[in-house]
């Protein structure tokens, strides 16, 4: 999974979510933390955004995966960290499928 492609699609999804909700959207870059910086972008919206991202990249993101906040530290993730996490999740899923098929 190409991280640049995931980044571009995540930014597009975040912009779309903000537009749909009628909220302002600041300029998005890799260092921005959507959970902290986007108005009304909260735990009720995160699963929807994750589902939209999954559809945009054509990959499965498990619904229980919180891709916007670190589960251990409870700290908001930057766009770059979210992209890295999504790529990690997808790579692990592909490895699990390959192992199951072998």
């Amino acid at each position: 999974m190409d991280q640049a492609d995931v980044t571009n699609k995540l930014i597009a999804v975040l912009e779309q979510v903000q537009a749909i909700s009628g909220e302002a959207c600041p300029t998005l870059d890799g260092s921005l933390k959507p959970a902290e910086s986007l108005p009304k972008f909260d735990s009720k919206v995160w699963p929807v955004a994750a589902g939209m991202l999954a559809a945009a990249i054509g990959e499965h993101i498990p619904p229980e995966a919180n891709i916007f906040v670190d589960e251990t530290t409870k700290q908001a993730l930057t766009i770059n960290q979210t992209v890295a996490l999504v790529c990690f999740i997808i790579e692990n899923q592909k490895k699990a499928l390959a192992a199951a098929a072998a």
Side-chain angles (χ1 to χ4, degrees):
M1 177 65 36
D2 177 52
Q3 287 196 353
D5 188 41
V6 176
T7 300
N8 291 334
K9 290 189 173 158
L10 175 58
I11 288 172
V13 163
L14 294 172
E15 290 171 341
Q16 185 179 9
V17 166
Q18 291 306 102
I20 290 168
S21 63
E23 295 296 329
C25 188
T27 301
L28 303 177
D29 64 38
S31 64
L32 182 125
K33 295 180 178 182
E36 291 179 355
S37 301
L38 298 180
K40 297 186 182 175
F41 189 77
D42 58 22
S43 61
K44 294 176 184 170
V45 178
W46 301 337
V48 176
M52 291 170 67
L53 177 60
I57 62 176
E59 298 285 351
H60 176 71
I61 299 173
E64 68 276 5
N66 185 343
I67 62 171
F68 297 104
V69 174
D70 183 292
E71 288 297 323
T72 306
T73 66
K74 305 299 182 204
Q75 296 296 309
L77 299 176
T78 65
I79 287 175
N80 287 343
Q81 290 170 321
T82 294
V83 168
L85 177 58
V86 168
C87 290
F88 177 78
I89 290 168
I90 292 167
E91 204 52 42
N92 279 348
Q93 289 177 150
K94 288 182 179 179
K95 286 178 185 174
L97 285 174

